[in-house]
Amino acid sequence: MKGKLARFVLATTLMWSLSVGCAHAEVNMSCSDGGLLDDPELTASLDAEPAEQTLLKEASVGMTSNLTPPNATPDMASIDDSVCSLNRYGYQTRSVTNYRQEKSYYCGPATARQALGFHKAASHSVAALPCQWTLASKIGTERYRASSTAAIANALNSYKGTFGSNFTYIASDIANTRSPFETFVNRIGTQLRSISQNPTTPIVLCQTRRISRYNGVASRHYMTVSGIDDRVAPMRMRSVDPHYLSSYYGVRWENVGSTSTNGLCRAVYQADLDGTNKVMAW
Protein backbone atom coordinates (compact mmCIF):
# COMPACT_ATOMS: atom_id res chain seq x y z
CA MET A 1 0.00 0.00 0.00
CA LYS A 2 2.82 2.34 0.90
CA GLY A 3 4.39 1.73 -2.51
CA LYS A 4 1.10 2.40 -4.30
CA LEU A 5 0.55 5.54 -2.22
CA ALA A 6 4.02 6.78 -2.99
CA ARG A 7 3.53 6.19 -6.72
CA PHE A 8 0.15 7.98 -6.56
CA VAL A 9 1.68 11.00 -4.81
CA LEU A 10 4.55 11.07 -7.31
CA ALA A 11 2.19 10.83 -10.29
CA THR A 12 -0.07 13.53 -8.87
CA THR A 13 2.91 15.79 -8.24
CA LEU A 14 4.20 15.29 -11.79
CA MET A 15 0.78 16.04 -13.30
CA TRP A 16 0.48 19.20 -11.20
CA SER A 17 3.99 20.29 -12.22
CA LEU A 18 3.24 19.70 -15.89
CA SER A 19 -0.02 21.63 -15.71
CA VAL A 20 1.67 24.56 -14.00
CA GLY A 21 4.52 24.39 -16.51
CA CYS A 22 2.06 24.46 -19.44
CA ALA A 23 0.22 27.39 -17.89
CA HIS A 24 3.49 29.30 -17.54
CA ALA A 25 4.48 28.34 -21.10
CA GLU A 26 1.17 29.67 -22.41
CA VAL A 27 1.68 32.98 -20.60
CA ASN A 28 5.26 33.29 -21.80
CA MET A 29 4.37 32.35 -25.37
CA SER A 30 1.55 34.89 -25.47
CA CYS A 31 4.13 37.57 -24.67
CA SER A 32 6.84 36.28 -27.00
CA ASP A 33 8.37 38.75 -29.44
CA GLY A 34 8.22 37.78 -33.11
CA GLY A 35 9.73 41.10 -34.20
CA LEU A 36 13.32 41.96 -33.37
CA LEU A 37 13.94 44.96 -31.16
CA ASP A 38 17.10 45.95 -33.03
CA ASP A 39 18.02 44.86 -36.53
CA PRO A 40 21.49 43.27 -36.22
CA GLU A 41 22.10 43.67 -39.97
CA LEU A 42 21.41 47.42 -39.95
CA THR A 43 24.34 49.84 -39.87
CA ALA A 44 24.42 53.59 -40.41
CA SER A 45 25.61 53.16 -43.99
CA LEU A 46 23.04 50.45 -44.74
CA ASP A 47 20.28 52.59 -43.25
CA ALA A 48 20.76 55.24 -45.94
CA GLU A 49 19.47 52.93 -48.68
CA PRO A 50 16.00 52.20 -47.22
CA ALA A 51 15.64 55.90 -46.36
CA GLU A 52 16.26 56.80 -50.00
CA GLN A 53 13.94 54.02 -51.20
CA THR A 54 11.25 55.31 -48.83
CA LEU A 55 11.43 58.82 -50.29
CA LEU A 56 11.27 57.49 -53.85
CA LYS A 57 8.25 55.34 -53.08
CA GLU A 58 6.45 58.14 -51.24
CA ALA A 59 7.02 60.39 -54.24
CA SER A 60 5.72 57.71 -56.61
CA VAL A 61 2.40 57.53 -54.75
CA GLY A 62 2.05 61.29 -54.41
CA MET A 63 3.23 61.72 -50.82
CA THR A 64 5.26 64.80 -49.88
CA SER A 65 8.76 64.13 -48.61
CA ASN A 66 8.69 64.30 -44.82
CA LEU A 67 11.78 62.54 -43.50
CA THR A 68 13.76 64.60 -41.01
CA PRO A 69 17.34 65.55 -41.91
CA PRO A 70 20.09 63.09 -40.88
CA ASN A 71 20.96 63.16 -37.14
CA ALA A 72 17.92 65.32 -36.39
CA THR A 73 15.13 64.46 -34.00
CA PRO A 74 11.48 64.61 -35.10
CA ASP A 75 9.64 67.84 -34.45
CA MET A 76 7.26 66.50 -31.82
CA ALA A 77 5.14 69.63 -31.99
CA SER A 78 4.27 68.84 -35.60
CA ILE A 79 3.00 65.33 -34.89
CA ASP A 80 -0.64 65.08 -35.87
CA ASP A 81 -2.48 63.41 -33.00
CA SER A 82 -5.86 63.82 -34.66
CA VAL A 83 -8.30 60.93 -34.30
CA CYS A 84 -10.86 62.58 -36.53
CA SER A 85 -11.96 61.24 -39.90
CA LEU A 86 -9.78 62.40 -42.79
CA ASN A 87 -12.11 61.28 -45.58
CA ARG A 88 -9.06 61.08 -47.86
CA TYR A 89 -9.13 57.40 -48.80
CA GLY A 90 -12.69 56.43 -47.95
CA TYR A 91 -13.38 52.73 -47.53
CA GLN A 92 -10.72 50.48 -49.07
CA THR A 93 -10.21 46.75 -48.53
CA ARG A 94 -8.17 43.92 -49.98
CA SER A 95 -8.82 40.21 -49.77
CA VAL A 96 -6.05 38.76 -47.60
CA THR A 97 -6.17 35.18 -46.31
CA ASN A 98 -5.40 34.84 -42.60
CA TYR A 99 -2.66 32.26 -41.89
CA ARG A 100 -2.05 31.27 -38.26
CA GLN A 101 1.64 31.45 -37.38
CA GLU A 102 3.13 28.00 -36.81
CA LYS A 103 5.61 28.97 -34.08
CA SER A 104 5.43 31.56 -31.32
CA TYR A 105 7.97 33.76 -33.15
CA TYR A 106 6.69 33.16 -36.71
CA CYS A 107 4.46 36.23 -37.06
CA GLY A 108 6.94 37.64 -39.60
CA PRO A 109 6.84 34.62 -41.94
CA ALA A 110 3.07 34.31 -41.46
CA THR A 111 2.41 37.94 -42.46
CA ALA A 112 4.76 37.53 -45.42
CA ARG A 113 2.74 34.52 -46.53
CA GLN A 114 -0.48 36.53 -46.11
CA ALA A 115 0.92 39.27 -48.35
CA LEU A 116 2.13 36.78 -50.96
CA GLY A 117 -1.30 35.15 -50.92
CA PHE A 118 -2.80 38.46 -52.02
CA HIS A 119 -0.25 38.83 -54.85
CA LYS A 120 -0.76 35.22 -55.94
CA ALA A 121 -4.51 35.80 -56.28
CA ALA A 122 -4.08 39.20 -57.95
CA SER A 123 -1.61 37.83 -60.50
CA HIS A 124 -3.57 34.59 -61.09
CA SER A 125 -0.34 32.69 -60.52
CA VAL A 126 -0.52 28.90 -60.36
CA ALA A 127 2.68 28.65 -58.31
CA ALA A 128 2.34 27.26 -54.80
CA LEU A 129 2.76 29.66 -51.90
CA PRO A 130 5.97 29.08 -49.93
CA CYS A 131 5.42 27.54 -46.50
CA GLN A 132 6.18 29.49 -43.34
CA TRP A 133 9.40 27.54 -42.74
CA THR A 134 10.71 28.48 -46.18
CA LEU A 135 9.89 32.13 -45.58
CA ALA A 136 11.44 31.96 -42.10
CA SER A 137 14.65 30.66 -43.69
CA LYS A 138 14.69 33.52 -46.20
CA ILE A 139 13.94 36.11 -43.52
CA GLY A 140 16.42 34.75 -40.96
CA THR A 141 13.69 34.16 -38.39
CA GLU A 142 15.13 30.85 -37.18
CA ARG A 143 18.56 32.39 -36.71
CA TYR A 144 17.31 35.15 -34.40
CA ARG A 145 14.03 33.51 -33.25
CA ALA A 146 12.38 36.73 -34.47
CA SER A 147 12.17 38.69 -37.74
CA SER A 148 13.46 41.97 -39.09
CA THR A 149 11.23 44.13 -41.26
CA ALA A 150 13.94 44.76 -43.85
CA ALA A 151 14.40 40.99 -44.25
CA ILE A 152 10.63 40.53 -44.66
CA ALA A 153 10.58 43.17 -47.42
CA ASN A 154 13.55 41.53 -49.17
CA ALA A 155 11.92 38.09 -48.94
CA LEU A 156 8.68 39.39 -50.46
CA ASN A 157 10.55 41.11 -53.28
CA SER A 158 12.34 37.86 -54.09
CA TYR A 159 8.98 36.48 -55.27
CA LYS A 160 8.47 39.16 -57.92
CA GLY A 161 7.89 37.34 -61.16
CA THR A 162 6.45 34.32 -59.35
CA PHE A 163 3.43 36.19 -58.00
CA GLY A 164 3.32 39.15 -60.37
CA SER A 165 5.86 41.88 -60.95
CA ASN A 166 3.91 45.02 -60.07
CA PHE A 167 4.98 45.34 -56.44
CA THR A 168 8.00 46.37 -54.41
CA TYR A 169 8.12 46.31 -50.62
CA ILE A 170 10.12 48.95 -48.77
CA ALA A 171 11.14 48.77 -45.09
CA SER A 172 10.53 52.12 -43.37
CA ASP A 173 10.20 53.86 -40.00
CA ILE A 174 7.61 56.44 -39.00
CA ALA A 175 9.17 58.04 -35.88
CA ASN A 176 11.78 59.85 -37.99
CA THR A 177 9.17 61.73 -40.02
CA ARG A 178 7.73 65.18 -39.42
CA SER A 179 4.28 63.75 -38.81
CA PRO A 180 4.31 60.03 -37.89
CA PHE A 181 0.50 59.87 -37.79
CA GLU A 182 0.06 61.36 -41.27
CA THR A 183 2.91 59.25 -42.65
CA PHE A 184 1.42 56.04 -41.27
CA VAL A 185 -2.08 56.75 -42.57
CA ASN A 186 -0.90 57.94 -45.99
CA ARG A 187 1.38 54.97 -46.59
CA ILE A 188 -1.38 52.52 -45.70
CA GLY A 189 -4.05 54.47 -47.56
CA THR A 190 -2.09 54.89 -50.80
CA GLN A 191 -1.21 51.20 -50.93
CA LEU A 192 -4.74 49.94 -50.30
CA ARG A 193 -6.22 52.42 -52.77
CA SER A 194 -3.64 51.81 -55.48
CA ILE A 195 -4.39 49.44 -58.33
CA SER A 196 -1.59 50.09 -60.81
CA GLN A 197 0.98 52.16 -58.88
CA ASN A 198 3.12 49.54 -57.17
CA PRO A 199 0.40 48.17 -54.84
CA THR A 200 1.32 46.16 -51.76
CA THR A 201 -0.46 44.71 -48.76
CA PRO A 202 1.34 46.53 -45.90
CA ILE A 203 2.89 44.68 -42.96
CA VAL A 204 3.36 46.53 -39.67
CA LEU A 205 5.37 45.79 -36.52
CA CYS A 206 3.35 46.62 -33.41
CA GLN A 207 3.89 46.93 -29.69
CA THR A 208 0.73 45.06 -28.74
CA ARG A 209 0.17 46.72 -25.37
CA ARG A 210 -0.88 49.81 -27.34
CA ILE A 211 -3.76 47.86 -28.93
CA SER A 212 -6.77 47.65 -26.62
CA ARG A 213 -7.81 44.08 -27.49
CA TYR A 214 -4.45 42.77 -26.23
CA ASN A 215 -5.42 43.91 -22.70
CA GLY A 216 -1.95 45.10 -21.77
CA VAL A 217 -0.03 42.06 -23.08
CA ALA A 218 3.28 43.41 -24.38
CA SER A 219 5.00 41.87 -27.40
CA ARG A 220 6.56 42.95 -30.67
CA HIS A 221 4.25 41.43 -33.24
CA TYR A 222 3.72 41.64 -37.01
CA MET A 223 0.30 41.99 -38.64
CA THR A 224 -0.90 42.62 -42.19
CA VAL A 225 -3.19 45.59 -42.91
CA SER A 226 -5.96 44.84 -45.41
CA GLY A 227 -8.37 47.74 -45.06
CA ILE A 228 -8.85 51.39 -44.16
CA ASP A 229 -11.96 53.44 -43.43
CA ASP A 230 -11.24 57.12 -42.81
CA ARG A 231 -14.84 58.21 -43.34
CA VAL A 232 -15.54 57.57 -39.66
CA ALA A 233 -14.21 58.97 -36.41
CA PRO A 234 -12.20 57.43 -34.95
CA MET A 235 -10.57 56.21 -38.13
CA ARG A 236 -10.22 52.43 -38.53
CA MET A 237 -7.90 49.97 -40.25
CA ARG A 238 -8.46 46.26 -40.77
CA SER A 239 -5.77 44.01 -39.34
CA VAL A 240 -5.06 40.42 -40.37
CA ASP A 241 -3.48 39.01 -37.20
CA PRO A 242 -1.63 35.67 -37.60
CA HIS A 243 -1.29 35.05 -33.85
CA TYR A 244 -1.32 31.36 -32.87
CA LEU A 245 -3.60 32.05 -29.86
CA SER A 246 -7.29 32.15 -30.79
CA SER A 247 -7.93 35.14 -28.53
CA TYR A 248 -5.77 37.31 -30.80
CA TYR A 249 -5.86 35.52 -34.17
CA GLY A 250 -8.29 36.82 -36.80
CA VAL A 251 -9.36 39.69 -39.02
CA ARG A 252 -10.62 42.77 -37.18
CA TRP A 253 -11.28 46.45 -37.64
CA GLU A 254 -8.99 48.36 -35.25
CA ASN A 255 -9.06 52.00 -34.17
CA VAL A 256 -6.09 53.81 -35.69
CA GLY A 257 -5.70 56.11 -32.69
CA SER A 258 -2.70 58.41 -32.89
CA THR A 259 0.85 58.66 -31.55
CA SER A 260 -0.57 59.30 -28.07
CA THR A 261 -3.95 57.52 -28.21
CA ASN A 262 -4.05 53.72 -28.21
CA GLY A 263 -4.65 52.10 -31.56
CA LEU A 264 -2.74 50.70 -34.51
CA CYS A 265 -0.79 53.91 -35.14
CA ARG A 266 0.44 54.17 -31.56
CA ALA A 267 1.34 50.47 -31.52
CA VAL A 268 3.57 50.93 -34.59
CA TYR A 269 4.97 54.24 -33.34
CA GLN A 270 5.87 52.70 -29.97
CA ALA A 271 7.57 49.73 -31.65
CA ASP A 272 9.59 52.24 -33.68
CA LEU A 273 10.66 54.26 -30.64
CA ASP A 274 11.74 51.14 -28.78
CA GLY A 275 14.37 49.83 -31.24
CA THR A 276 16.14 50.13 -34.59
CA ASN A 277 14.10 47.46 -36.42
CA LYS A 278 11.98 49.09 -39.13
CA VAL A 279 8.24 49.00 -38.48
CA MET A 280 6.59 49.00 -41.93
CA ALA A 281 7.07 46.77 -44.97
CA TRP A 282 4.84 48.55 -47.46
Side-chain angles (χ1 to χ4, degrees):
M1 288 295 293
K2 288 183 179 179
K4 289 183 178 179
L5 179 60
R7 286 195 296 272
F8 174 79
V9 171
L10 178 61
T12 303
T13 302
L14 286 172
M15 289 177 65
W16 179 84
S17 298
L18 286 171
S19 66
V20 171
C22 288
H24 282 301
E26 178 73 5
V27 171
N28 290 336
M29 287 174 71
S30 70
C31 300
S32 101
D33 288 339
L36 286 166
L37 179 66
D38 295 310
D39 187 342
E41 308 295 332
L42 195 63
T43 64
S45 58
L46 288 176
D47 198 23
E49 185 177 353
E52 182 179 355
Q53 292 173 341
T54 295
L55 293 176
L56 290 172
K57 182 157 188 176
E58 287 181 342
S60 74
V61 296
M63 290 178 60
T64 304
S65 170
N66 63 359
L67 284 179
T68 55
N71 303 319
T73 56
D75 179 7
M76 299 302 289
S78 71
I79 293 175
D80 186 353
D81 278 343
S82 169
V83 292
C84 299
S85 60
L86 291 182
N87 204 22
R88 183 178 299 163
Y89 300 104
Y91 178 84
Q92 307 286 341
T93 61
R94 288 201 168 158
S95 179
V96 175
T97 301
N98 197 185
Y99 294 111
R100 191 187 298 270
Q101 64 192 75
E102 295 171 357
K103 294 185 180 181
S104 63
Y105 53 94
Y106 263 26
C107 54
T111 53
R113 195 168 197 261
Q114 289 177 167
L116 287 177
F118 165 76
H119 293 295
K120 172 181 167 67
S123 65
H124 306 290
S125 172
V126 296
L129 281 177
C131 66
Q132 290 186 31
W133 185 88
T134 297
L135 289 167
S137 298
K138 278 181 172 284
I139 294 167
T141 307
E142 286 291 354
R143 179 181 179 186
Y144 299 111
R145 293 183 70 84
S147 302
S148 87
T149 307
I152 290 173
N154 289 337
L156 290 170
N157 292 335
S158 73
Y159 287 95
K160 289 178 68 172
T162 304
F163 302 116
S165 58
N166 193 29
F167 66 87
T168 300
Y169 282 83
I170 303 296
S172 306
D173 290 327
I174 63 171
N176 63 339
T177 65
R178 293 191 177 93
S179 176
F181 172 78
E182 286 275 351
T183 299
F184 177 71
V185 172
N186 286 332
R187 285 177 184 166
I188 298 292
T190 56
Q191 294 310 286
L192 296 181
R193 182 180 63 184
S194 175
I195 300 299
S196 59
Q197 291 183 319
N198 200 9
T200 65
T201 299
I203 293 171
V204 294
L205 175 59
C206 303
Q207 172 45 255
T208 58
R209 77 173 185 272
R210 299 302 188 186
I211 299 174
S212 298
R213 65 182 174 84
Y214 271 83
N215 296 315
V217 172
S219 66
R220 293 173 66 80
H221 181 61
Y222 287 103
M223 294 188 284
T224 310
V225 181
S226 68
I228 185 172
D229 186 0
D230 69 354
R231 305 167 303 171
V232 297
M235 192 190 317
R236 304 182 303 160
M237 288 181 183
R238 190 172 71 180
S239 67
V240 186
D241 192 334
H243 209 289
Y244 56 92
L245 292 179
S246 298
S247 51
Y248 306 126
Y249 170 81
V251 181
R252 300 174 179 83
W253 283 98
E254 318 258 21
N255 285 345
V256 174
S258 67
T259 56
S260 60
T261 305
N262 279 351
L264 207 54
C265 178
R266 189 177 187 188
V268 175
Y269 183 65
Q270 185 67 62
D272 201 352
L273 293 178
D274 290 342
T276 64
N277 191 9
K278 304 295 183 183
V279 292
M280 295 186 71
W282 66 290

